[in-house]
Amino acid sequence: MTDLQKTDFDYIVIGGGSAGAAVAARLSEDPTVEVALVEAGADDRGVDEVLQLDRWMELLESGYDWDYPIEPQENGNSFMRHSRAKVMGGCSSHNSCIAFWAPREDIDEWETRFGAEGWNSEMAFRLYKQLESNEDAGPDAPHHGADGPVKLMNVPPSDPCGVALLDACEQAGIPRTKFNTGQTVINGANFFQINRRPDGTRSSSSVSYIHPILERKNFTLLTGLRARELKFNDANHCTGVDVVDGQFARTHTLNARTEVILSAGAIDSPKLLMLSGIGPKEHLAEHGIEVRADSPGVGSNLQDHPEGVIQWEAKQPMTETSTQWWEIGIFTPTEDGLDRPDLMFHYGSVPFDMHTLRQGFPTTENGFCLTPNVTHARSRGTVRLRSRDFRDKPMVDPRYFTDPHDMRVMVYGIKKAREIISQPAMAEWAGRELYPGPDVQTDEEITEYITKTHNTVYHPAGSVRMGAYDDGMSPLDPQLRVKGVTGLRVADASVMPELTTVNPNITTMMIGERCAELVREARAASGADTAAAGAGV
């Protein structure tokens, strides 16, 4: 932990993850303001298992993982856990660094359907260009040659099983395509783009935004400090945060002269808001927490990408090297007339038996898998407090497959995976189907298998959504300001009104970029107002 020699700042960012690191770095570009970035986890510098992208699977359920269990599921796998990163960079230091621009339709919907004024694809695509460097996208891409901090690259086609899989996709009517060109891919497949540097270092938000600015005199990084409660004055203005030193269990108060930005993620941001008296009043009352702002949408609208798995033994030895072991994406619609795909697959060149082995399915040391996931699941869950003790893990209830749409897409996905792998191009690779196996064929049998064994792509979102100013179920306005108080914004995946079709990490960084712009605009407006008042205007 950085020594607490200073406790007063202009801006305090709580959470050094995908969005928080971007917010703090951009705000500290102004040398006239003092910015603190507060992270509960460890510094990532010098930690090879975090920095080296091909080691990401070691981080699941490790000391760098908050490892949140989920509540018992009526239609889903109650053994499932939500991995949330406990380290600088947040989930961008913990994930497989699959890098996607969201489809235009996703971001435009935030504005047109949910009332988040100003959040549209024109704004988002401008900020995608700003945050990344992506010469591999090709000369026709709208962001070719940009010089942002996050480095993107194409996964090289060096996995022969993966190349055969793409051939099989073409034989099944799913063509090879390019990702991140600015065009929405409804039906297509290819090796991913990933945010990784040439030496194998992940281009996480910490590596990209924070490592280069650690010597800035107006920037302070505080790790190992866990937020306990947001602080407010009598006018309900957020004045800072109480944090607990993880090493000595001492409480300190950090003071914000201007604003606090909460970037703790889709599980911990609603938790901290509720601990601070902002949330559904009935739920807060259950835990004896005084209501500061009755906000029923805090902790509601929780969304995710639920994921199934179908695994084969490989007839040939699988690759022993990889950028991150999950290198190909496949998109395809399950019905006609969609403007975005409702089904996505990740291809893994490694076994994935996290939830199948306990159910008695066979496994292998040499195999490959496809993991169908529902891009726009309609089931909605909640994040709730387990108690008023900040140390207790929250109650995370995704309510998987409570909307029948989601299981319909997943069942289709298992069948589509079999269709792809049955193509001639995979004949030299595809051995025995291990799970669900040839005995699981009917919709009912596949449904039972999915219910018992499904996982998640670890994409919780939407639990503190932004929306129209008069939308009582949107805790945030389109400026990311928390309704009912002042001096407090939220910037992370929790603000998404609807989860993106694709892996959302780059979009979460984009949210951080936009939040920094909104804060700077507010500061500039405040300065103009002060100057006008001083001039007697």
Side-chain angles (χ1 to χ4, degrees), residues 46-66:
V47 185
D48 285 347
E49 60 264 44
V50 172
L51 295 175
Q52 291 301 303
L53 177 55
D54 61 358
R55 297 181 63 179
W56 76 271
M57 287 185 288
E58 298 175 36
L59 302 174
L60 299 177
E61 300 182 19
S62 75
Y64 296 104
D65 186 357
W66 290 108

Side-chain angles (χ1 to χ4, degrees), residues 19 22-23 26-27 110 116-120 123-124 126-128 130-131 209 261 466 478-480 489-491 495 507-521:
V23 175
R26 293 303 191 189
L27 290 180
W110 292 357
E117 183 181 346
W119 290 85
N120 51 52
M123 176 277 299
R126 172 178 61 82
L127 292 177
Y128 287 140
Q130 177 174 293
L131 71 87
Y209 285 100
I261 297 94
M466 59 179 167
Q479 311 295 307
L480 302 178
R489 300 183 203 243
V490 179
V495 314
T507 298
T508 305
M509 295 183 192
M510 179 274 289
I511 289 168
E513 291 269 0
R514 181 57 181 157
C515 180
E517 288 187 342
L518 294 170
V519 172
R520 288 196 300 263
E521 289 168 7

Side-chain angles (χ1 to χ4, degrees), residues 104-365:
R104 292 180 183 274
E105 294 83 357
D106 282 355
I107 310 299
D108 286 336
E109 185 178 58
W110 292 357
E111 182 173 55
T112 59
R113 179 180 168 196
F114 296 101
E117 183 181 346
W119 290 85
N120 51 52
S121 58
E122 181 180 358
M123 176 277 299
F125 281 22
R126 172 178 61 82
L127 292 177
Y128 287 140
K129 298 175 192 178
Q130 177 174 293
L131 71 87
E132 70 176 42
S133 174
N134 188 359
E135 294 184 0
D136 277 353
D140 297 330
H143 51 312
H144 174 67
D147 192 25
V150 183
K151 311 302 181 186
L152 269 59
M153 61 167 282
N154 288 337
V155 171
S158 55
D159 172 8
C161 182
V163 172
L165 174 66
L166 292 177
D167 292 340
C169 284
E170 290 193 318
Q171 292 169 351
I174 304 173
R176 279 176 167 85
T177 190
K178 289 184 178 180
F179 296 138
N180 293 339
T181 67
Q183 301 300 312
T184 299
V185 176
I186 297 177
N187 187 56
N190 213 334
F191 285 94
F192 287 124
Q193 287 207 312
I194 55 176
N195 44 307
R196 172 187 180 270
R197 300 186 175 213
D199 64 355
T201 301
R202 64 171 65 241
S203 194
S204 66
S205 63
S206 182
V207 169
S208 303
Y209 285 100
I210 301 304
H211 290 194
I213 68 164
L214 287 167
E215 301 306 315
R216 280 184 188 165
K217 296 188 182 303
N218 66 327
F219 173 74
T220 301
L221 174 62
L222 299 169
T223 57
L225 292 180
R226 190 171 181 182
R228 178 175 185 167
E229 184 180 355
L230 297 164
K231 307 302 289 183
F232 295 84
N233 63 19
D234 292 341
N236 256 6
H237 182 85
C238 189
T239 60
V241 60
D242 280 349
V243 294
V244 178
D245 182 332
Q247 184 175 2
F248 300 107
R250 297 172 183 157
T251 300
H252 310 272
T253 299
L254 303 177
N255 302 305
R257 290 185 285 265
T258 307
E259 283 195 42
V260 172
I261 297 94
L262 176 55
S263 299
I267 292 176
D268 282 299
S269 281
K271 176 188 173 185
L272 185 60
L273 289 171
M274 289 186 283
L275 287 173
S276 307
I278 302 170
K281 63 180 180 180
E282 296 86 359
H283 179 63
L284 300 183
E286 290 174 10
H287 296 289
I289 298 172
E290 183 178 350
V291 178
R292 184 171 301 280
D294 178 18
S295 186
V298 171
S300 299
N301 194 47
L302 180 66
Q303 304 162 54
D304 193 16
H305 287 146
E307 175 184 72
V309 61
I310 178 168
Q311 177 88 37
W312 289 267
E313 284 183 322
K315 291 181 178 178
Q316 303 181 54
M318 293 296 295
T319 182
E320 295 183 357
T321 61
S322 176
T323 59
Q324 39 79 304
W325 308 105
W326 297 86
E327 295 186 326
I328 286 174
I330 304 167
F331 294 95
T332 196
T334 69
E335 56 184 297
D336 294 335
L338 299 179
D339 62 356
R340 284 158 283 178
D342 56 351
L343 174 64
M344 179 185 181
F345 298 88
H346 294 75
Y347 155 76
S349 54
V350 287
F352 186 48
D353 58 9
M354 181 181 290
H355 296 288
T356 55
L357 196 57
R358 71 163 53 89
Q359 298 293 343
F361 290 95
T363 190
T364 181
E365 297 266 326

